[in-house]
Amino acid sequence: MAAFARADAAADPSFAEILALRPHLAIAPEVGLMVDGVPLARIAAEHATPTWVYAASAISGRFRALASALAEANLDARIHYAMKANDALAIVRLLGSLGAGADVVSGGEFHAARAAGIAPSDIVFSGVGKTEAELRAALAAGVGQINVESAEELAMLDALAAAMGRRAPVALRVNPDVDAGTHAKITTGRAENKFGIPIGEAPALYARAAGSRALRVRGVAVHIGSQITALAPFRAAYARLAELVRALRAEGLPVERIDCGGGLGIPYRNEPAPSAAAFVHLLRETLGPLGATLMLEPGRWLVGPAGLLLARVVLEKHGTSRRFVILDAAMNDLIRPALYEAWHAIVPVAAARWHAPATPADVVGPVCESGDTFATARMLPALPPGELVAILDAGAYGAVMSSTYNARPLAAAVMVRAGEAAVIRRRQPVEALIAQDVIPHWLASG
Ligand code: LLP
């Protein structure tokens, strides 16, 4: 919750406190802020701004921390990266190389996961509105699991698989009616949300699915929301899920898999957030005794802290009552502050600025909307034109939610590994903005 609330600047962590929690970042007097030893000033000089910068070490370190916590707890568990958080092929491939499968929510993500090298059998297809065409393509490719979200979808998939002569591997996503205590726009586990099958209706539907020859029912799934920084909502949801699994088994229905969803939050503002070990401990307590394969679908937790948005100050404008730092990045690049009032740390890249006197500033982009604001009344030093800043913890739901609003091309992305910065997504050329446009013949001449 705290990540979304805008409170007074006094509660904000200092630059030093921000750095202390983000081991892939360091600052040196001569070169300024670095990502895994690569100066951001060098990345800006070589690749221009705005540019997304991801630390491979942070992604692999976080994956390994989660995977080893699961192994130490003796849980039979698989991590399916929710690639909606960041669908850059290089990131999906990196996680795949470490052993992750993918959780996808569209035909497009399914395609991208395949292109990144994820085997179809390691893909879970989630989402409340999968189309027949998407389901058909996934089945034809041999998708590992389809998380069904309604009785209507189950009937559609049953008919589709039967017509194709396939057996669709399904899990029923249930809605446990638990409040995740997160921002309303990313809460998914309340009865009034569009997601999942009401938990009370699940047993009858599960029995129906188990009776179909075109379906192979594998288990149940739950996902209650995102950026959850307390364990209690997970505990409540998993307890209800465990109860359901016991009831299904009592009816003689097989439940091999339990999909625990994603949602684990990260400390944007240095607020306390559960560690991987604490989350895994909870899994072991609540779901471990059931002896099923646990499927995890983390997105943000794996990649959020690993990325930043590197931007340059266009100018500093002194309004009647406020100082505006206007960047060359905008809400079209990173929409989270505008959409969810999300708090992201913003730090200067030049070392000299870290100890300069700070005053409140509104950090904004050039888009023609007042909502194009990254931070309000943030304590920052003077940031004259040309100065670089890094907007932190932008690895998840950053680039993926970008648009070209105001005809601003999509930013480039760079991945840093072992002192090398490689482009993983080229900056969109301005010509691409109009490449799909067609002038109808009646406007073509004259
Ligand atoms: N599984 C399902 C079924 C989901 O709907 C989601 C996210 C995840 C897994 C991954 O959740 P994560 O571990 O990343 O929290 N754009 C928002 C977040 C939307 C999350 C949507 N569903 C934001 O910027 O905060």
Side-chain angles (χ1 to χ4, degrees):
M1 197 66 195
F4 296 102
R6 238 238 58 77
D8 56 314
D12 289 347
S14 67
F15 293 156
E17 286 164 342
I18 288 165
L19 213 59
L21 274 196
R22 293 160 179 83
H24 54 288
L25 298 178
I27 189 139
E30 326 74 52
V31 293
L33 194 62
M34 296 174 289
V35 171
D36 277 342
V38 176
L40 285 168
R42 197 209 297 165
I43 293 177
E46 285 174 13
H47 305 286
T49 51
T51 289
W52 304 96
V53 182
Y54 306 114
S57 69
I59 298 172
S60 44
R62 297 180 75 81
F63 180 88
R64 289 200 181 100
L66 183 56
S68 53
L70 290 164
E72 274 161 35
N74 275 320
L75 289 172
D76 171 18
R78 296 188 203 163
I79 301 171
H80 287 78
Y81 167 53
M83 63 183 282
K84 66 165 77 68
N86 193 319
D87 60 12
L89 288 198
I91 288 181
V92 181
R93 196 178 185 90
L94 173 62
L95 285 164
S97 74
L98 297 168
D103 169 70
V104 309
V105 289
S106 68
E109 282 190 358
F110 190 84
H111 177 75
R114 298 284 294 115
I118 307 288
S121 56
D122 290 331
I123 298 178
V124 173
F125 199 163
S126 305
V128 72
K130 307 174 206 76
T131 66
E132 275 196 23
E134 286 175 321
L135 288 171
R136 198 176 294 122
L139 279 175
V143 66
Q145 179 178 311
I146 298 172
N147 288 356
V148 170
E149 299 223 12
S150 62
E152 294 81 355
E153 187 187 14
L154 190 72
M156 171 171 142
L157 183 59
D158 196 358
L160 204 62
M164 291 172 74
R166 297 250 174 186
R167 223 167 161 208
V170 302
L172 294 196
R173 172 171 176 187
V174 300
N175 184 324
D177 195 16
V178 164
D179 186 355
T182 186
H183 192 279
K185 284 186 182 157
I186 54 173
T187 289
T188 54
R190 297 297 307 274
E192 68 263 30
N193 298 136
K194 68 182 174 182
F195 300 97
I197 293 156
I199 198 157
E201 295 170 22
L205 210 57
Y206 201 92
R208 198 188 309 165
S212 163
R213 277 198 292 161
L215 302 173
R216 176 174 174 211
V217 69
R218 308 209 64 168
V220 291
V222 73
H223 172 80
I224 55 171
S226 194
Q227 184 53 18
I228 303 169
T229 50
L231 288 176
F234 289 113
R235 186 182 295 281
Y238 297 154
R240 299 206 68 186
L241 202 59
E243 208 179 299
L244 172 66
V245 171
R246 291 197 179 94
L248 294 173
R249 286 181 173 165
E251 296 295 312
L253 297 164
V255 184
E256 311 153 40
R257 291 181 170 185
I258 301 175
D259 187 330
C260 313
L264 194 55
I266 58 169
Y268 283 99
R269 205 178 177 185
N270 285 19
E271 63 274 45
S275 64
F279 179 69
V280 168
H281 183 74
L282 173 73
L283 286 178
R284 194 169 71 158
E285 269 184 296
T286 52
L287 300 172
L290 297 168
T293 300
L294 301 185
M295 321 270 286
L296 275 64
E297 297 172 0
R300 185 193 317 266
W301 194 88
L302 289 174
V303 297
L308 59 84
L309 179 59
L310 179 60
R312 207 176 272 286
V313 176
V314 177
L315 50 84
E316 246 185 335
K317 170 174 171 176
H318 294 274
T320 39
S321 59
R322 292 185 178 218
R323 170 165 71 110
F324 295 101
V325 176
I326 307 179
L327 305 181
D328 64 359
M331 67 188 291
N332 73 293
D333 301 299
L334 178 64
I335 202 175
R336 302 194 69 257
L339 201 52
Y340 317 112
E341 287 152 329
W343 193 98
H344 284 258
I346 303 177
V347 294
V349 169
R353 303 277 165 205
W354 279 50
H355 302 291
T359 58
D362 286 7
V363 183
V364 302
V367 161
C368 306
E369 295 205 23
S370 297
D372 184 22
T373 298
F374 291 117
T376 309
R378 192 66 66 86
M379 294 303 283
L380 287 168
L383 290 166
E387 204 75 16
L388 292 167
V389 298
I391 307 178
L392 304 185
D393 307 315
Y397 308 110
V400 278
M401 294 180 79
S402 294
S403 74
T404 58
Y405 186 38
N406 280 209
R408 295 169 47 84
L410 299 176
V414 157
M415 185 184 277
V416 174
R417 184 186 150 270
E420 188 192 333
V423 173
I424 63 163
R425 191 170 279 171
R426 286 190 279 274
R427 186 175 308 284
Q428 189 177 35
V430 74
E431 298 77 34
L433 292 175
I434 54 168
Q436 307 302 318
D437 285 25
V438 178
I439 307 276
H441 68 87
W442 66 87
L443 286 174
S445 56

